[in-house]
Amino acid sequence: MTEQRTRESAGRRAVIVGAGMAGVQTAVALRERGFTGPVLLIGAEPHQPYDRPPLSKAYLLGKAEGSAFEVDFEALGIELRLGVEVSALRPEDRVVDTEAGPVPYDALVIATGAVPVSLPGAEGVPGVHLLRTLDDAERLRPVLAEQCDVVVVGAGWIGAEFATAAREAGCAVTVVEAAEHPLAGALPAEVAAPMAAWYEESGARLVTHARVARIEPGQVLLDDGRALPAGAVVVGVGARPATGWLTGSGVALDPDGSVTADDRLRTSLPDVYAVGDCASFPSARYGRRLLVHHWDNALQGPRTVAADILGEEPPPYDPVPYFWSEQFGRFVQYAGHHEGADTMVRRGDPADAAWSAAWLREGALVGLLAVGRPRDLAQGRRLIESGAPLDPARVADPAVPLKAAVRG
């Protein structure tokens, strides 16, 4: 059967739009599973495809010189077209339009990721930065090297990671957050509020309940009249799926702009798939669609896409979401999805260096946040997958391994 699928793929052309983690891993997975037709990977950036997590950490601090994927594209027979923008999809002709002309496909994979949300009125103001691409990080390296006063707008994951790097570089850092606590869009207040102390401990200033009125060269003006000195401003207020080029194509999109994929990451069009940050998928585990803007999703999804392109009928795509962040000297990990849980159980004191928070639904673990407790995360991820019922009292005891909290 594998040989038959390999022969059937020989005359088909797979085109992947997006050369980030999801796109690269899709191309690699196709070859590893025996796809023998042409594979074309189109990337908007001119750089060799690279991994993004180091950009907010080691690369900013000059501790790493790039993070290109260790993939021998030539040996795998994967054609790269870099620095090429894709403008439209025309399914009736089975082509994608690029600035270099139309590109025909037999199977198309949308892996265009997400783009950072800009701050209205800040576009084009000198000294205002976003942090998503290698070029963004390259422009920010001198800011840290010169130890500028930095204002970070947004206390989310990226804002915290950049603030961490800036403090390590010796910059004076002020983080402005509209909500009452960090990570307001990602975690409930009872878990995230204690993280505010991390900023103070690092020497960064966290200003909550604050909105930016406007940004001028050298300062950020808040809506309450305060002025914050700023040699540089980094905006980290979220990201949105990079799907604008699909307008008019017939590809179904969710209200948030993500591609509406099914449980095998197929779109509403035949032979068109979507994977990574730009695509939502239905989760039977959580009873809702999930849009996961994290590295692990971009690593796992391509295996499902490649298998379906080759006709292997893969199982439904329903991973346990996983994410990690390094901030203020702490290793923070998150698995699962806490919304919909009926119980939250703490493991340890958030004032300590290591603690966890577990979310249960009808006794089963559905989400876990681990700070400095990687064993909790590893065991918790497996427990979420199994759906085993837990004893909340034993979950609450940080001296008890999570796997030992299973009832019966």
Side-chain angles (χ1 to χ4, degrees):
M1 183 64 72
T2 300
E3 292 180 0
Q4 179 182 344
R5 290 170 181 156
T6 299
R7 289 195 301 271
E8 290 173 351
S9 70
R12 303 177 64 205
R13 187 189 206 200
V15 175
I16 303 163
V17 181
M21 170 65 81
V24 168
Q25 289 300 320
T26 301
V28 171
L30 282 169
R31 288 299 190 227
E32 288 179 342
R33 290 181 175 272
F35 187 88
T36 58
V39 175
L40 171 62
L41 186 62
I42 303 174
E45 296 181 58
H47 310 290
Q48 190 77 0
Y50 61 88
D51 204 7
R52 296 188 188 278
L55 298 185
S56 60
K57 307 174 183 73
Y59 187 82
L60 273 180
L61 294 168
K63 297 179 179 180
E65 295 303 320
S67 55
F69 293 115
E70 295 182 359
V71 175
D72 191 335
F73 295 100
E74 184 176 357
L76 289 172
I78 298 169
E79 180 186 353
L80 296 180
R81 292 190 191 174
L82 304 176
V84 176
E85 292 279 356
V86 173
S87 57
L89 164 61
R90 290 186 284 128
E92 66 278 9
D93 298 321
R94 298 181 74 87
V95 301
V96 289
D97 288 323
T98 77
E99 57 191 357
V103 177
Y105 68 84
D106 294 299
L108 175 67
V109 181
I110 301 167
T112 41
V115 293
V117 175
S118 59
L119 203 62
E123 300 91 340
V125 177
V128 177
H129 301 263
L130 299 170
L131 180 52
R132 179 74 179 181
T133 68
L134 184 61
D135 288 339
D136 292 337
E138 191 63 38
R139 285 187 285 267
L140 278 165
R141 289 178 82 173
V143 171
L144 270 60
E146 295 165 12
Q147 299 185 334
C148 296
D149 290 350
V150 178
V151 172
V152 181
V153 182
W157 299 113
I158 288 294
E161 290 183 358
F162 177 80
T164 299
R167 284 300 301 140
E168 186 173 338
C171 298
V173 177
T174 300
V175 180
V176 177
E177 171 55 50
E180 64 179 353
H181 58 80
L183 295 171
L187 297 171
E190 58 188 346
V191 172
M195 297 177 179
W198 300 356
Y199 290 76
E200 182 179 356
E201 291 171 8
S202 76
R205 177 189 179 195
L206 175 63
V207 182
T208 57
H209 297 290
R211 294 186 178 275
V212 174
R214 67 181 184 276
I215 299 176
E216 299 176 348
Q219 65 176 354
V220 174
L221 301 175
L222 304 182
D223 59 2
D224 61 6
R226 283 179 289 178
L228 306 176
V233 179
V234 176
V235 178
V237 293
R240 67 185 192 305
T243 55
W245 64 282
L246 295 170
T247 300
S249 68
V251 171
L253 302 179
D254 287 353
D256 58 16
S258 62
V259 177
T260 308
D262 69 5
D263 61 6
R264 287 173 178 77
L265 301 180
R266 299 171 297 195
T267 73
S268 57
L269 297 179
D271 300 313
V272 179
Y273 300 78
V275 65
D277 292 3
C278 68
S280 67
F281 57 89
S283 170
R285 178 179 288 108
Y286 294 106
R288 55 170 293 173
R289 297 192 68 82
L290 297 181
L291 174 61
V292 181
H293 280 196
H294 298 312
W295 186 91
D296 191 64
N297 178 50
L299 178 67
Q300 294 195 59
R303 301 165 190 160
T304 294
V305 170
D308 200 82
I309 288 174
L310 281 158
E312 296 178 8
E313 299 183 6
Y317 184 68
D318 195 7
V320 174
Y322 169 68
F323 172 67
W324 81 95
S325 176
E326 296 174 280
Q327 49 185 272
F328 306 115
R330 293 166 172 85
F331 186 45
V332 183
Q333 295 173 283
Y334 179 89
H337 188 70
H338 67 272
E339 293 182 16
D342 53 46
T343 306
M344 195 278 283
V345 181
R346 292 190 187 277
R347 287 173 59 78
D349 187 342
D352 294 337
W355 53 276
S356 297
W359 287 273
L360 309 178
R361 185 179 64 212
E362 298 179 357
L365 188 67
V366 293
L368 183 79
L369 175 77
V371 178
R373 290 180 66 97
R375 182 174 297 179
D376 277 4
L377 191 287
Q379 294 181 10
R381 196 173 181 181
R382 290 192 290 269
L383 290 170
I384 294 171
E385 290 175 344
S386 72
L390 305 182
D391 179 348
R394 291 182 65 77
V395 172
D397 186 346
V400 175
L402 272 176
K403 64 182 181 180
V406 176
R407 289 188 183 276

